């Protein structure tokens, strides 16, 4: 049992426990600012997967959602992987249960599908897939798919249709969606665009077609940082989850970032990403729990398509 030190503020306590545990803190771009500020690495799903695979820490504390921590465990099984709140799920992952995908593949065996799964899915779905992709490499992954196979893309129909537009490759799409990104609408983004006509609109590919049509750039959260840094523009409308604004403002302090609004809110929060708090992070390090575990047979089957993706993207 690790002793908590009296009189320390929460962030200092987290850092103290992290050193005691020889842990690495990996945080997704949608985490609250306090967590981003003390993480060892902040990034998108692809960057976080590489960090999880390459770390020599004993413990990976994953400040993100369940499928991200599970991916870390799949590709680095000897590590203890902990997630501050086990309830940090994902609507995309929920939209495609492994049993439903297995049944669908059985019913359409004649199609001999090559299954490409967006990383926002469970280990069970990954285990049924040929290759995994993230928003950062989906175009490459689809372009590398065998030309003589029918593609089934799961679970995000919006990311899937964006990749079809970019590659011209037909795919059958699972009907899942991110509940956060579909909240942005043509009206809400059209209105903010009219208010700031000089600001490029930068949108995540999980947004609907109508919103992507209004965007100057559609890309993963990590690529948003590069795009905004390299662009000559001074201000940007960021159409993704609100946590992204902290990363952008911190790394590119000279520019202005405006949150893309929904029809009802000035910005969009993911209730799953926001389940993680500094207190829960401190407790997770102190207790080494909640821990991610999964059956070894599933882990092994889920690892192959992730490795395939990592090799395609290096
Ligand atoms: P990125 O990999 O682009 O960060 O996306 C992850 C995610 O959950 C988007 O909603
Ligand atoms: Fe899932 Fe959407 Fe939240 Fe990303 S923002 S974790 S896709 S629910």
């Amino acid at each position: 049992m690790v002793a908590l030190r009296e009189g320390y503020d929460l962030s200092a306590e987290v850092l103290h426990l992290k050193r005691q545990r020889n842990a690495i803190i990996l945080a997704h771009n949608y985490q609250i600012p306090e967590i981003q500020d003390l993480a060892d690495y902040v990034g998108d799903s692809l960057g976080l997967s590489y960090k999880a695979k390459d770390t020599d820490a004993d413990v990976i504390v994953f400040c993100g959602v369940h499928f991200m921590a599970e991916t870390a465990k799949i590709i680095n099984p000897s590590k203890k992987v902990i997630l501050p709140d086990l309830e940090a799920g994902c609507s995309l992952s929920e939209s495609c249960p492994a049993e439903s995908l297995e049944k669908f593949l059985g019913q359409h065996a004649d199609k001999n599908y090559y299954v490409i799964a967006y990383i926002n899915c469970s280990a069970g779905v990954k285990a049924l897939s040929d290759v995994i992709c993230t928003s950062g490499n989906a175009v490459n992954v689809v372009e590398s798919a065998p030309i003589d196979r029918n593609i089934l893309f799961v679970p995000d129909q919006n990311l899937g249709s964006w990749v079809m537009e970019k590659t011209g490759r037909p795919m059958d799409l699972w009907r899942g969606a991110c509940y956060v990104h579909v909240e942005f609408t043509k009206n809400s983004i059209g209105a903010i665009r009219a208010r700031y006509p000089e600001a490029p609109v930068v949108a995540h590919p999980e947004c609907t077609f109508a919103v992507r049509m209004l965007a100057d750039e559609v890309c993963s959260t990590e690529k948003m940082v590069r795009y905004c840094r390299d662009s000559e523009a001074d201000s940007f409308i960021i159409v993704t989850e609100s946590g992204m604004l902290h990363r952008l403002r911190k790394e590119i302090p000279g520019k202005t970032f405006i949150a893309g609004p929904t029809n009802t809110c000035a910005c969009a929060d993911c209730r799953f990403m926001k389940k993680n708090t500094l207190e829960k992070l401190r407790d997770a390090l102190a207790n080494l729990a909640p821990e991610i575990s999964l059956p070894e047979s599933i882990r092994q089957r889920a690892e192959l398509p992730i490795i395939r993706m990592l090799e395609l993207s290096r």
Side-chain angles (χ1 to χ4, degrees):
M1 182 67 194
V2 170
L4 300 183
R5 304 220 311 208
E6 294 287 324
Y8 262 47
D9 72 33
L10 211 40
S11 299
E13 216 177 296
V14 167
L15 293 174
H16 170 69
L17 285 166
K18 185 187 83 140
R19 277 190 297 275
Q20 278 197 317
R21 294 303 199 185
N22 188 26
I24 185 171
I25 300 176
L26 302 181
H28 186 263
N29 289 318
Y30 298 163
Q31 291 296 288
I32 56 169
E34 295 83 350
I35 290 183
Q36 290 193 32
D37 288 349
L38 48 73
D40 295 291
Y41 177 80
V42 184
D44 69 353
S45 306
L46 185 60
L48 289 163
S49 302
Y50 281 120
K51 287 285 169 197
K53 182 155 180 51
D54 294 342
T55 185
D56 52 14
D58 296 324
V59 177
I60 299 171
V61 192
F62 216 112
C63 296
V65 291
H66 189 274
F67 77 80
M68 294 178 174
E70 196 173 55
T71 302
K73 184 69 185 173
I74 293 167
I75 54 183
N76 207 341
S78 66
K79 307 294 177 191
K80 197 176 263 293
V81 179
I82 55 178
L83 177 67
D85 190 326
L86 267 190
E87 308 251 293
C90 169
S91 67
L92 268 172
S93 185
E94 277 168 19
S95 72
C96 185
E99 306 72 46
S100 309
L101 176 59
E102 192 164 25
K103 188 167 162 209
F104 180 89
L105 291 173
Q107 285 167 341
H108 298 86
D110 55 313
K111 291 262 202 174
N112 186 26
Y113 275 123
Y114 185 79
V115 180
I116 302 182
Y118 185 30
I119 198 164
N120 298 38
C121 64
S122 66
V125 167
K126 290 184 175 79
L128 292 167
S129 304
D130 291 285
V131 66
I132 305 304
C133 72
T134 72
S135 57
N137 63 16
V139 168
N140 279 357
V141 169
V142 169
E143 279 173 344
S144 314
I147 204 72
D148 56 341
R149 297 279 299 276
N150 297 307
I151 299 179
L152 175 66
F153 189 92
V154 302
D156 188 4
Q157 59 185 310
N158 291 308
L159 176 69
S161 62
W162 175 69
V163 177
M164 282 206 285
E165 288 155 30
K166 300 279 284 183
T167 62
R169 183 91 197 251
M171 305 194 291
D172 289 337
L173 306 179
W174 196 265
R175 298 261 163 224
C178 162
Y179 92 96
V180 180
H181 286 86
V182 298
E183 287 286 304
F184 300 113
T185 66
K186 187 178 170 187
N187 282 349
S188 70
I189 301 306
I192 193 96
R193 200 185 176 134
R195 253 180 89 192
Y196 301 98
E198 303 300 324
V201 173
V202 185
H204 197 275
E206 287 172 14
C207 294
T208 61
F209 176 73
V211 169
R212 295 197 310 269
M213 286 292 284
L214 294 173
D216 296 279
E217 179 69 7
V218 177
C219 60
S220 74
T221 57
E222 195 60 38
K223 289 185 183 168
M224 287 181 183
V225 181
R226 258 174 276 157
Y227 174 82
C228 296
R229 188 181 285 131
D230 295 348
S231 164
E232 284 178 3
D234 292 328
S235 43
F236 303 85
I237 297 164
I238 303 299
V239 188
T240 193
E241 208 270 353
S242 64
M244 191 64 217
L245 295 164
H246 178 68
R247 169 99 196 266
L248 288 163
R249 286 173 182 150
K250 194 172 162 180
E251 289 197 20
I252 317 173
K255 297 193 179 186
T256 303
F257 299 97
I258 303 148
T262 68
N263 282 346
T264 51
C265 288
C267 65
D269 283 336
C270 171
R271 67 173 181 272
F272 301 111
M273 287 280 181
K274 276 8 191 206
K275 283 215 173 266
N276 296 322
T277 61
L278 265 191
E279 285 83 0
K280 290 181 196 169
L281 170 56
R282 184 266 320 272
D283 293 348
L285 273 163
N287 303 324
L288 290 183
E291 186 180 355
I292 302 291
S293 64
L294 67 165
E296 181 57 15
S297 59
I298 301 267
R299 191 203 67 76
Q300 281 182 12
R301 278 162 48 212
E303 186 178 20
L304 272 172
I306 302 175
I307 299 289
R308 211 166 272 153
M309 166 188 86
L310 294 178
E311 281 167 2
L312 276 173
S313 321
R314 276 272 186 209

